[in-house]
Amino acid sequence: MLSSYNVSQLKEGDYLFTTDSGIVYSVYMLDESLYFDAYPEFSADVHTLGFDMISNPLRKTPFDKRVRVTISNIIIDYLTTHPEKVFFFVCDSADAREKSRMRIFELWYHQRQTDTIEKYNESIHTADMDIYFSIIIHSKTT
């Protein structure tokens, strides 16, 4: 199994890692409790999960399986430590590649299948845009 890159935690829910190619990624969990303020019993546990390439010294980004492994490990470790949390992952649609992003994220999930994490996909189609997103939770076994 491939190993993760070394991850730096800047603060709770905010991480950075650098690939062998010098590309820097950010993985973040944003508090989205305001979207669910009518449901105080769980609103504090809702977060948006995101990741971005924040620095790339190369002209073209090379394929790197360890990026998937590292991001997957961050998600699994966070939800294992905070099993009450719920992540929403919304695929960026700024460049009309949201459906491709969803397919890739789904592939990542199946490649790193674990008994402790569940992921549910959904899409919303409007006249203006298509929104693809996932809900990611910890599988609490009793």
Side-chain angles (χ1 to χ4, degrees), residues 11-15 27-50 78 84-89:
K11 61 181 181 178
E12 179 77 22
D14 195 5
Y15 307 89
V27 180
Y28 52 89
M29 294 96 178
L30 302 175
D31 178 0
E32 300 294 358
S33 59
L34 291 177
Y35 288 117
F36 300 97
D37 60 355
Y39 303 96
E41 62 274 12
F42 70 81
S43 64
D45 294 326
V46 179
H47 289 73
T48 298
L49 169 69
Y78 190 87
E84 73 285 358
K85 301 295 184 188
V86 175
F87 285 142
F88 283 95
F89 177 74

Side-chain angles (χ1 to χ4, degrees), residues 67-83:
V67 170
R68 170 187 48 87
V69 171
T70 304
I71 293 172
S72 297
N73 283 347
I74 291 170
I75 294 168
I76 292 166
D77 291 348
Y78 190 87
L79 287 176
T80 299
T81 306
H82 305 89

